[in-house]
Amino acid sequence: MEIKFTNRGSTLIATFSGELDHHFAEYARNKIEGELLKATTRNVVFDLSRLSFMDSSGIGVIVGRYANVRKLGGNTAIICKDQKICRILELSGILKLMPICGDLEHAMNALASA
Amino acid sequence: MQPVNEMKLEFLSKSSNEAFARVVAAAFVSQLDPTLEELADVKTAVSEAVTNAIIHGYENKYGIIRMTCRQFDKSVEIEISDDGRGIENIEEAMQPLFTSKPDMERSGMGFTVMESFMDNVRVTSKPGEGTTVTLSKHFGSLDGRE
């Protein structure tokens, strides 16, 4: 699994690729936390559209980061295209915390109007 | 009902084996020629069950996890068992969002995901002796095929 980071203004975009399971959850958590420490970050987009697999371990990674982003007054959004991954996210009730969007533009718009 | 094919696998409760176990299960089940969608359902459910055995059964100490896969005409049954600490209250453990390890950022969605992606999930457990999770799924895409 790999996570790449890009910035758009004060929004950090974390693009996941490969497989996100319990084995890679800690790695993902630490990498994102490291980026969050950078003062410019306010909002975070979790781009899951390049993941080929995710189980419920991914929910813990996202919800844990959500809590930290909220503490600093920011918001989060998810980009998801895979039906199965979207279903796992929906089952967890994560939609109550952040929107699930089809692409980056929608995610940026959702954050702008949050 | 007699299985048409069966395989057994034993592996150490290392987290790197989560991917190994789900890929092996999918490879075995793919002999039935289900859809990619159905295969992905199986992979996800196996990943959840194996992760539970590692985190909760053995609590990150090393032990042996056994996986038995049985193929039937149009369905599959996968049994994942450990000799770990077991579950005191199965009903409670299976509730959505219930987790005994919130500090580890576990979402408590493992059993819910298994139940949502498979047709049936059966759990037997004895505290101090271990847990067996049996996942079964009928492949609707095979109906009507001879």
Side-chain angles (χ1 to χ4, degrees):
Chain A
M1 200 210 65
E2 208 183 346
I3 308 180
K4 286 203 169 127
F5 297 100
T6 47
N7 288 285
R8 262 208 198 183
S10 58
T11 299
L12 175 73
I13 301 152
T15 305
F16 296 66
S17 56
E19 307 201 332
L20 176 55
D21 61 5
H22 160 245
H23 181 62
F24 286 111
E26 196 182 331
Y27 167 80
R29 181 159 60 230
N30 293 339
K31 270 210 104 168
I32 300 170
E33 286 297 327
E35 285 294 313
L36 284 180
L37 288 175
K38 296 181 184 170
T40 51
T41 303
R42 202 176 114 86
N43 300 323
V44 178
V45 173
F46 303 98
D47 182 357
L48 310 182
S49 61
R50 291 181 191 185
L51 277 180
S52 53
F53 177 88
M54 188 188 91
D55 64 16
S56 71
S57 302
I59 298 166
V61 172
I62 294 170
V63 173
R65 304 297 72 68
Y66 163 84
N68 292 346
V69 171
R70 288 297 295 156
K71 268 183 223 157
L72 299 169
N75 287 297
T76 57
I78 297 174
I79 303 174
C80 179
K81 288 178 185 157
D82 182 273
Q83 288 295 319
K84 205 156 304 292
I85 295 176
C86 289
R87 202 161 123 215
I88 292 171
L89 293 168
E90 283 159 15
L91 280 172
S92 73
I94 212 167
L95 273 168
K96 288 184 197 138
L97 306 180
M98 64 191 90
I100 300 179
C101 308
D103 58 39
L104 183 59
E105 290 327 304
H106 285 96
M108 293 303 289
N109 288 339
L111 287 174
S113 59
Chain B
M1 198 168 35
Q2 278 295 105
V4 295
N5 197 358
E6 184 168 341
M7 73 96 177
K8 282 181 195 202
L9 181 73
E10 286 192 355
F11 53 93
L12 208 55
S13 58
K14 292 182 76 142
S15 63
S16 58
N17 283 332
E18 290 156 5
F20 171 69
R22 63 180 179 257
V23 168
V24 170
F28 182 73
V29 167
S30 70
Q31 294 177 49
L32 286 172
D33 202 21
T35 62
L36 286 178
E37 168 86 12
E38 288 166 332
L39 267 186
D41 287 347
V42 170
K43 267 175 101 168
T44 308
V46 167
S47 193
E48 298 289 354
V50 171
T51 301
N52 274 353
I54 292 171
I55 297 180
H56 302 286
Y58 291 118
E59 299 190 291
N60 294 314
K61 294 181 198 82
Y62 287 153
I64 293 292
I65 298 172
R66 290 175 302 280
M67 178 167 81
T68 304
C69 301
R70 297 183 188 93
Q71 283 175 18
F72 300 91
D73 272 350
K74 290 165 187 166
S75 63
V76 69
E77 186 181 88
I78 300 169
E79 216 175 80
I80 290 154
S81 50
D82 64 66
D83 305 316
R85 67 172 303 196
I87 303 171
E88 297 275 352
N89 185 337
I90 294 174
E91 207 184 320
E92 180 185 54
M94 291 181 78
Q95 288 295 316
L97 302 174
F98 174 85
T99 178
S100 55
K101 302 210 185 308
D103 48 317
M104 286 179 64
E105 296 191 348
R106 301 307 306 166
S107 65
M109 292 302 294
F111 279 122
T112 307
V113 169
M114 287 182 237
E115 284 177 322
S116 147
F117 286 46
M118 303 295 278
D119 293 328
N120 194 37
V121 178
R122 207 168 60 238
V123 183
T124 54
S125 188
K126 245 190 181 168
E129 287 182 26
T131 300
T132 298
V133 175
T134 309
L135 307 163
S136 44
K137 187 176 184 70
H138 171 85
F139 296 124
S141 66
L142 302 182
D143 286 340
R145 256 196 248 178
E146 279 311 307

